Amino acid sequence: MDYTPKDEKLIEARFEELMRSCERVIKRPEDTDTIRRAFLLAKEAHKGVYRRSGEPYITHPIAVAMIVREEIGLGVKSVAAALLHDVVEDNDNYTVEDIDRMFGPKIAYMVEGLTKIAGVFTNNPAAMIGGGGKDFSEQAESFRKVLVTMSNDLRVILIKIADRLHNMRTLGAMPVEKQIKITSETIFLFAPLAYRLGLYEIKTEFENLCLKYRFPETYKEINEKLQLTAHARDEFVENFITPIRRKLRESNIDFKIEGRVKSAYSIWMKMQRKQIPFEEIYDLFAIRIVFQPSPIIPEKSQCWHIYSLITDIYKPHPDRIRDWVNNPKANGYESLHATVMATGGAWVEVQIRSQRMEEIAEMGFAAHWKYKHDGGPGSDDEADFDRRLQEIRDVLNSSTDDAVDFLDNFSMALYSTEIVVFTPKGDSRRLPQGATALDFAYAVHTNVGNQAIGAKIDRKVEPIFTILTSGNQVEIITSKSSHPKPEWLDHVTTAKAKQAIKTFLKGDTHNRLRDGQRIFEERLKDFGLVPSRRLFNKVLPAYNSSTKDEFYSKLGSGMIKLDKLSEVIHENSASKWLKFWSIELSNPFKKDSGKDKIKQVGRVGSGFSGERAGSEFVIAPCCNPIPGDDIIGYNDPESGHTEVHKTSCDRLTWLAAQHGDYICKAEWASHKAMSHFAVIELRGIDRIGLMLDISQLIAGELNINMRELNVRTHDGIFEGTISVYVKDKHDIDSIIDKTKKIKGIDSVKRVS
């Protein structure tokens, strides 16, 4: 089917815009010919195909190529590969060999790396998901294949990031369950990858778009409040930078200075982390100074010179200087950050960097590539760039055979704040914040980690699980009789350490699983029970385990005991049912089945947490949604049931990132006289009569049944929890809103 004249006009306009953007990298006529031939082939391959938005499909590869050129800064071959990235996948008439013949091996290699190959890793991936043995995800395998390709050509993953960015920008046309799947993949994988590659602006946009589609009301509210405070903020920034601008001009420094507002996502994360409202966040922006360096003075010296000029005006915070000039981040980010006291008592962050540093901060490894090949940095910088690239390749070349483990390790390794620690000889090692001496041991060598029994930290003997801080000098104490134990996994943060421990323990896994299963089944005989999914819905969360294997392994290794098993089995705290409620689901296990709705009727609380009777769904114990919460379904192919999660559930994000094809839409269809268990956490200043006021509000004014009230006081501060039975989320919101108004209450929040 041919495109309409209107579509042809749109396609040609988009392509001409791309060609204008490529003028800066086109060196010869053959380059123009390569891009145009790639466009014509892609246009032919996608002829008559339209996106959900209604636009011709060819506009997507054009947009990806535009991002590759304008926002990442790659060249002609990358633009051509971006135009061709879906051709082999979506059209059976073309192969990678055809691309090689028409465009050469480099472009063909990139296209091959970008081509998703589904269904080649297993005949029945669904049967393994959530099963007893190795956790499998076809989605994870597909990601792994693309990521490992990056080991040989960084441009493959940069184009993949551009592809995902355009898909995120047009996500509004997708149904909600697809939005959950795609945003989960993005926040779990692509945002940390963009961060590690130094693509800060793209990483920020990924995060903001994820917030926009996962929590649209929150995203809208934060942006509206930013707009409302914009005038006062602009006035403050102008008053703050005026004396700095004058001082820098007097010193004959060529510079730009501006105030940059923090992203909606970073503001939201701070609100979540500190449990505070928008109005209590004061560091909504940072001041950035970008200077053109003098060729006769080192850039680092110029950064510190500007810092000294600013601190002549404003007093610095002594504990909030971040020197990423002498110690760049793992993604190559270089900048000097300082926090100074503005007139009026507000702390303001100031970022100081050269134009080169700014380009690297904005375009990451692509800018490094530019400076590496254009002769910008010296040999030391080139070596540093190569080292950082090798660190990412090391993460990608993980030794694990399990694709799900691979992605967990990959995400964890990329998305972390760093510290710098030193060996006894003074060599530096970069580790994620929160890393322990055991992480350091594995960073030195796997055998050192496996035999570690302690550490000398700044010449003082400390336990091997001691958390390190920047500047520590660490020496590992080893013993040949020492070996990894399962509990070590709870005390390491780096992917290398986790994988090394898992590899060592793998040989003993079968015995631990067998022993754990035997112990559990023998204990269940005391209650006349046998293992069942309903039982595991209670047992797994009670013993902090996500799978049966993890539970059996912990039990078999002695990490957990079954002393309180009776309480766990008979505990019915999730809810007590009075009548019935229902949830409307998309047809389970049928992809893109939005039109095929089925209504499942069930009741909660007839014996086990999250149990359902006569229905096809279970309430996920990890987040325990109640009527009124935004929910989504996960079709568990092993059990045939659909788990219902809150859309904000961390476990759901992991499931959607690994097994997105099993996510389905779920809605509360009705609920009647239902009583659900919930826990409220409170904190504030203690006073006489406070508990009475809280009790009278909840039991009296709101007429809500309290099950339990636990309070601890110390030094005039109280902390406590209230366990209540509520009908729906509205009851929870009423408790939180009204309790906040009680004198002495500082914070109130729901605990899942």
Side-chain angles (χ1 to χ4, degrees):
M1 182 177 70
D2 292 331
Y3 289 120
T4 66
K6 181 180 178 181
D7 290 337
E8 288 285 359
K9 187 175 180 180
L10 172 67
I11 294 168
E12 192 60 32
R14 298 276 177 89
F15 178 66
E16 289 304 320
E17 183 183 4
L18 173 64
M19 290 304 296
R20 287 193 296 273
S21 176
C22 291
E23 287 176 358
R24 295 189 298 276
V25 292
I26 290 176
K27 307 296 185 185
R28 49 189 183 173
E30 298 95 290
D31 293 340
T32 301
D33 180 62
T34 296
I35 296 173
R36 187 167 292 279
R37 285 191 298 111
F39 162 68
L40 292 174
L41 177 60
K43 182 181 177 184
E44 177 63 27
H46 301 304
K47 184 170 65 175
V49 181
Y50 288 82
R51 306 192 82 211
R52 281 182 179 267
S53 61
E55 289 190 332
Y57 190 87
I58 184 60
T59 60
H60 166 65
I62 293 174
V64 173
M66 195 71 176
I67 294 170
V68 163
R69 171 78 286 278
E70 284 292 318
E71 300 181 52
I72 300 180
L74 298 181
V76 171
K77 287 184 173 61
S78 299
V79 169
L83 287 168
L84 297 166
H85 78 273
D86 278 335
V87 166
V88 175
E89 178 192 354
D90 293 346
N91 195 306
D92 294 336
N93 295 325
Y94 299 99
T95 65
V96 173
E97 289 72 22
D98 295 329
I99 304 297
D100 190 341
R101 187 177 63 257
M102 289 185 277
F103 296 95
K106 290 186 177 180
I107 292 176
Y109 179 83
M110 286 189 276
V111 172
E112 182 180 24
L114 290 159
T115 300
K116 308 182 200 78
I117 303 176
V120 301
F121 302 99
T122 180
N123 292 325
N124 186 18
M128 298 298 294
I129 299 173
K134 167 183 160 184
D135 194 7
F136 191 98
S137 167
E138 183 181 18
Q139 192 169 326
E141 281 286 9
S142 182
F143 283 151
R144 182 181 187 176
K145 178 182 183 296
V146 172
L147 290 170
V148 172
T149 305
M150 174 192 154
S151 296
N152 296 316
D153 195 333
L154 181 65
R155 293 173 295 182
V156 172
I157 204 64
L158 293 172
I159 299 169
K160 187 68 179 175
I161 286 173
D163 178 35
R164 175 51 57 112
L165 180 59
H166 185 248
N167 284 331
M168 286 295 297
R169 287 173 175 174
T170 56
L171 194 59
M174 304 295 286
V176 64
E177 60 270 25
K178 291 293 186 183
Q179 290 181 0
I180 291 284
K181 172 184 181 292
I182 293 170
T183 54
S184 295
E185 292 169 357
T186 301
I187 207 69
F188 186 79
L189 178 67
F190 287 96
L193 184 56
Y195 170 80
R196 186 57 176 263
L197 291 171
L199 300 170
Y200 183 78
E201 292 297 320
I202 290 178
K203 168 253 187 190
T204 300
E205 187 172 355
F206 275 149
E207 292 172 338
N208 282 339
L209 289 170
C210 286
L211 179 64
K212 176 181 178 180
Y213 289 109
R214 284 295 285 272
F215 307 106
E217 293 301 321
T218 301
Y219 177 81
K220 180 181 178 183
E221 180 182 350
I222 290 174
N223 279 296
E224 286 177 349
K225 289 181 177 179
L226 283 173
Q227 290 177 7
L228 287 173
T229 58
H231 178 72
R233 191 167 56 249
D234 290 345
E235 186 176 348
F236 178 89
V237 168
E238 184 58 32
N239 291 334
F240 178 83
I241 67 177
T242 295
I244 297 177
R245 188 185 289 124
R246 186 185 311 118
K247 192 87 169 179
L248 296 181
R249 285 173 177 167
E250 289 172 358
S251 299
N252 296 317
I253 296 172
D254 184 2
F255 69 95
K256 294 184 296 183
I257 184 170
E258 62 178 348
R260 307 217 13 173
V261 180
K262 288 189 174 181
S263 70
Y265 180 84
S266 65
I267 293 170
W268 176 72
M269 284 295 290
K270 192 162 191 176
M271 291 167 61
Q272 298 297 306
R273 188 170 60 252
K274 295 195 172 185
Q275 289 296 310
I276 57 176
F278 176 91
E279 289 71 22
E280 293 183 22
I281 296 180
Y282 301 107
D283 53 341
L284 291 173
F285 61 89
I287 304 300
R288 182 175 299 173
I289 299 170
V290 180
F291 64 91
Q292 291 289 349
S294 168
I296 60 174
I297 304 174
E299 287 182 352
K300 297 176 184 179
S301 300
Q302 293 178 73
C303 287
W304 285 104
H305 175 57
I306 292 173
Y307 168 79
S308 69
L309 294 176
I310 294 170
T311 53
D312 286 343
I313 306 168
Y314 301 112
K315 294 295 182 185
H317 192 302
D319 298 325
R320 294 174 67 177
I321 296 176
R322 300 291 181 264
D323 181 7
W324 286 306
V325 173
N326 288 299
N327 294 294
K329 292 185 179 182
N331 59 12
Y333 179 88
E334 298 175 67
S335 188
L336 179 60
H337 291 196
T339 300
V340 298
M341 177 69 75
T343 304
W347 290 108
V348 178
E349 182 184 277
V350 180
Q351 303 169 356
I352 305 165
R353 63 183 66 154
S354 69
Q355 183 61 44
R356 179 189 65 83
M357 296 175 187
E358 171 74 356
E359 288 189 33
I360 290 172
E362 297 294 319
M363 299 173 67
F365 268 70
H368 272 295
W369 211 289
K370 166 188 170 183
Y371 281 101
K372 177 180 172 70
H373 291 289
D374 289 353
S379 58
D380 290 342
D381 293 311
E382 283 197 19
D384 203 37
F385 167 76
D386 290 335
R387 178 186 57 76
R388 292 194 188 99
L389 188 55
Q390 187 57 46
E391 286 175 358
I392 299 179
R393 286 171 174 159
D394 289 344
V395 174
L396 289 168
N397 290 322
S398 168
S399 59
T400 177
D401 293 328
D402 190 314
V404 175
D405 273 352
F406 169 80
L407 284 188
D408 280 341
N409 294 343
F410 181 75
S411 180
M412 176 180 63
L414 295 189
Y415 216 172
S416 56
T417 304
E418 287 190 325
I419 60 172
V420 179
V421 295
F422 298 90
T423 69
K425 294 183 178 180
D427 296 329
S428 63
R429 291 285 193 279
R430 285 184 172 85
L431 295 170
Q433 192 168 35
T436 63
L438 187 54
D439 284 302
F440 176 84
Y442 279 107
V444 173
H445 195 279
T446 299
N447 290 337
V448 174
N450 285 343
Q451 298 177 4
I453 58 172
K456 288 183 180 179
I457 301 176
D458 297 331
R459 301 186 179 182
K460 183 180 178 182
V461 176
E462 300 284 0
I464 200 67
F465 300 148
T466 302
I467 295 176
L468 303 175
T469 58
S470 267
N472 284 151
Q473 190 170 34
V474 186
E475 179 182 353
I476 301 300
I477 304 169
T478 62
S479 170
K480 291 184 179 180
S481 62
S482 176
H483 58 80
K485 302 171 183 63
E487 57 267 28
W488 283 21
L489 290 170
D490 297 328
H491 297 281
V492 293
T493 62
T494 61
K496 181 178 180 181
K498 283 185 179 291
Q499 190 54 46
I501 295 168
K502 287 178 180 179
T503 299
F504 184 92
L505 297 174
K506 193 173 183 180
D508 195 40
T509 298
H510 179 72
N511 290 336
R512 291 200 316 273
L513 290 173
R514 183 190 60 200
D515 292 345
Q517 184 174 0
R518 176 182 51 78
I519 294 169
F520 185 56
E521 291 177 353
E522 287 180 357
R523 187 63 191 279
L524 286 182
K525 290 178 182 178
D526 296 340
F527 305 100
L529 297 173
V530 296
S532 68
R533 182 169 186 83
R534 296 189 304 178
L535 188 59
F536 279 112
N537 281 339
K538 289 284 284 185
V539 171
L540 295 185
Y543 290 98
N544 195 28
S545 301
S546 57
T547 65
K548 287 185 291 185
D549 278 4
E550 182 182 356
F551 171 70
Y552 284 146
S553 180
K554 287 181 176 179
L555 184 59
S557 63
M559 290 176 61
I560 58 176
K561 304 293 182 184
L562 298 179
D563 298 342
K564 298 182 179 180
L565 183 61
S566 178
E567 297 175 24
V568 173
I569 291 175
H570 297 103
E571 175 64 31
N572 189 23
S573 61
S575 57
K576 57 181 184 179
W577 65 273
L578 302 179
K579 290 190 181 178
F580 294 92
W581 53 273
S582 63
I583 290 178
E584 195 169 76
L585 302 168
S586 298
N587 195 6
F589 309 104
K590 184 175 181 180
K591 298 180 184 179
D592 299 322
S593 55
K595 296 180 181 179
D596 301 319
K597 296 282 187 69
I598 57 173
K599 186 174 289 187
Q600 307 290 356
V601 179
R603 60 188 182 189
V604 177
S606 55
F608 297 99
S609 171
E611 180 186 1
R612 90 279 177 268
S615 70
E616 293 300 325
F617 61 83
V618 293
I619 298 300
C622 50
C623 56
N624 191 30
I626 63 176
D629 286 331
D630 293 329
I631 56 174
I632 204 76
Y634 168 68
N635 297 322
D636 186 338
E638 180 193 17
S639 67
H641 304 143
T642 299
E643 294 178 2
V644 179
H645 294 258
K646 289 198 291 187
T647 56
S648 58
C649 175
D650 290 339
R651 172 70 178 167
L652 171 70
T653 299
W654 186 90
L655 287 169
Q658 304 283 10
H659 313 297
D661 289 340
Y662 296 94
I663 298 297
C664 68
K665 188 175 181 181
E667 297 174 345
W668 299 102
S670 65
H671 55 277
K672 299 179 182 179
M674 189 68 201
S675 184
H676 301 269
F677 182 75
V679 179
I680 306 294
E681 188 176 271
L682 306 95
R683 193 175 191 277
I685 301 172
D686 193 20
R687 63 174 173 82
I688 296 174
L690 179 61
M691 293 303 104
L692 179 61
D693 290 347
I694 294 172
S695 300
Q696 287 179 342
L697 169 68
I698 296 174
E701 181 181 341
L702 297 177
N703 194 28
I704 290 173
N705 182 27
M706 283 196 304
R707 174 188 165 184
E708 197 173 44
L709 176 61
N710 291 315
V711 176
R712 302 168 299 281
T713 62
H714 56 89
D715 301 326
I717 303 297
F718 85 89
E719 297 175 321
T721 58
I722 307 173
S723 303
V724 294
Y725 288 108
V726 296
K727 294 190 295 296
D728 54 27
K729 186 174 179 291
H730 175 73
D731 281 353
I732 293 287
D733 293 340
S734 295
I735 293 173
I736 292 174
D737 291 342
K738 291 183 179 293
T739 305
K740 282 181 177 178
K741 297 176 183 177
I742 295 176
K743 181 182 177 181
I745 299 293
D746 179 58
S747 67
V748 187
K749 63 180 181 178
R750 173 184 171 189
V751 182
S752 295

